[in-house]
Amino acid sequence: MRNTAKITTTVLAAGALTLGLSACGADSSDTDGPLIVAASPVPHAEILNFVKDNLAKKEGLDLQVKEFTDYVTPNTATQDGSVSANYFQNKPYLDDFNKKNGTDIVPVVTVHLEPLGLYSHKVEKADDLKSGATVAIPNDTVNEARALKLLAADGLITLKAGVGNEATPSDITKNPRNLTFKELEAAQTPRSLDDVDAAVVNGNYAIESDLKPSEDALVLESPKNNPYGNFLAVKKGNEDDPRVKKLAKLLTSPEVEKFIQDKYAGSVLASF
């Protein structure tokens, strides 16, 4: 059982890669070479691999997909040219990353939205959370704020008026259930479900953990007026790379829209 919480500041961003950059084996700045894209395994790499296997050849695009499991390496690799582009994050996360790291990575095209959700192995609805319950939330700046806003949208807590994408538990003004917050790396939140009363989990990590956001979330972000879609991104100046333009076109094609609808059944939503 779940409630859909309406929230206009969301998302996610997420990253997931298991292959080292040393394995790239190609110069990502060579516009005649392969386009190497860093991506989270789910759903980003799955979407890219659908493009690679079904659409890229017809467009003359040599696409290589490198999977990462963290939120930092895809951007640093894009900045230093180890990869050509990345696909794993949303605008609030990228803005925060650029500001803190002095990078100049820019969005190219928005592809999909992954709703953030509250999950539990111990209760069937958010109202069943008892006083003093422990809730795990992501500890990175944007996703922590996003998680708190999700809980506030469902009435579990109240945040300071006008709080932005840097909100932390210290910005909670009302906590009627005396919830305790356990701040974890985003990838760890689904793994914490046996140890906490509930956890706020990014969409990609939920899917990787066999959770179905559209069915299993106690509270789920609404896509309505939601500007936090995940996008293809490049280092500033590479937006006009013909390979990037080809991939942007394919990622927003009817074929990809159908793939997202069929494979994720509402847990990932096309945003184009």
Side-chain angles (χ1 to χ4, degrees):
M1 181 174 182
R2 68 177 177 85
N3 301 317
T4 300
K6 199 173 194 181
I7 183 169
T8 59
T9 55
T10 67
V11 94
L12 170 262
L17 182 49
T18 56
L19 298 179
L21 292 174
S22 60
C24 289
D27 180 1
S28 66
S29 64
D30 178 8
T31 58
D32 293 324
L35 184 71
I36 305 168
V37 183
S40 303
V42 179
H44 310 77
E46 291 179 343
I47 295 171
L48 287 170
N49 281 319
F50 171 80
V51 171
K52 177 182 177 181
D53 295 340
N54 297 278
L55 306 174
K57 186 175 181 180
K58 294 179 182 178
E59 291 292 328
L61 176 64
D62 183 359
L63 178 62
Q64 294 186 6
V65 183
K66 299 295 181 181
E67 297 184 10
F68 289 78
T69 52
D70 70 281
Y71 285 3
V72 176
T73 313
N75 276 335
T76 56
T78 301
Q79 182 72 21
D80 69 22
S82 300
V83 300
S84 316
N86 67 57
Y87 174 34
F88 80 104
Q89 64 193 322
N90 59 47
K91 191 65 163 54
Y93 180 83
L94 176 60
D95 289 346
D96 182 69
F97 188 94
N98 279 336
K99 180 180 178 181
K100 290 180 176 177
N101 295 278
T103 48
D104 57 351
I105 298 165
V106 296
V108 175
V109 66
T110 299
V111 181
H112 77 268
L113 172 71
E114 300 165 30
L116 190 81
L118 177 69
Y119 300 85
S120 177
H121 286 171
K122 299 178 180 178
V123 299
E124 294 186 358
K125 54 185 180 180
D127 286 344
D128 291 339
L129 287 171
K130 296 180 180 179
S131 178
T134 299
V135 179
I137 58 175
N139 65 2
D140 63 278
T141 301
V142 170
N143 282 308
E144 182 167 60
R146 179 184 165 209
L148 293 172
K149 290 181 179 182
L150 174 68
L151 299 177
D154 198 58
L156 293 172
I157 59 172
T158 301
L159 293 171
K160 292 178 183 176
V163 70
N165 288 319
E166 296 184 356
T168 69
S170 65
D171 294 304
I172 296 172
T173 58
K174 293 182 181 180
N175 185 1
R177 297 174 188 268
N178 297 310
L179 299 177
T180 298
F181 296 96
K182 188 173 184 178
E183 297 166 291
L184 301 172
E185 289 187 10
Q188 299 298 322
T189 54
R191 302 170 195 172
S192 74
L193 282 168
D194 288 332
D195 302 317
V196 298
D197 296 291
V200 179
V201 183
N202 290 78
N204 63 310
Y205 292 132
I207 297 168
E208 287 178 30
S209 302
D210 295 323
L211 295 169
K212 295 182 179 180
S214 59
E215 298 177 11
D216 297 333
L218 309 184
V219 181
L220 189 67
E221 291 172 333
S222 169
K224 187 175 181 180
N225 299 320
N226 193 319
Y228 293 87
N230 285 202
F231 47 71
L232 180 70
V234 298
K235 184 177 180 180
K236 188 175 182 180
N238 293 337
E239 302 95 315
D240 293 329
D241 183 325
R243 303 169 302 166
V244 171
K245 287 187 171 182
K246 286 180 182 179
L247 180 56
K249 176 184 175 183
L250 294 175
L251 282 172
T252 54
S253 66
E255 292 90 343
V256 167
E257 181 176 21
K258 185 176 187 303
F259 173 77
I260 290 173
Q261 290 172 345
D262 292 347
K263 184 170 182 63
Y264 302 110
S267 294
V268 177
L269 305 172
S271 298
F272 53 87

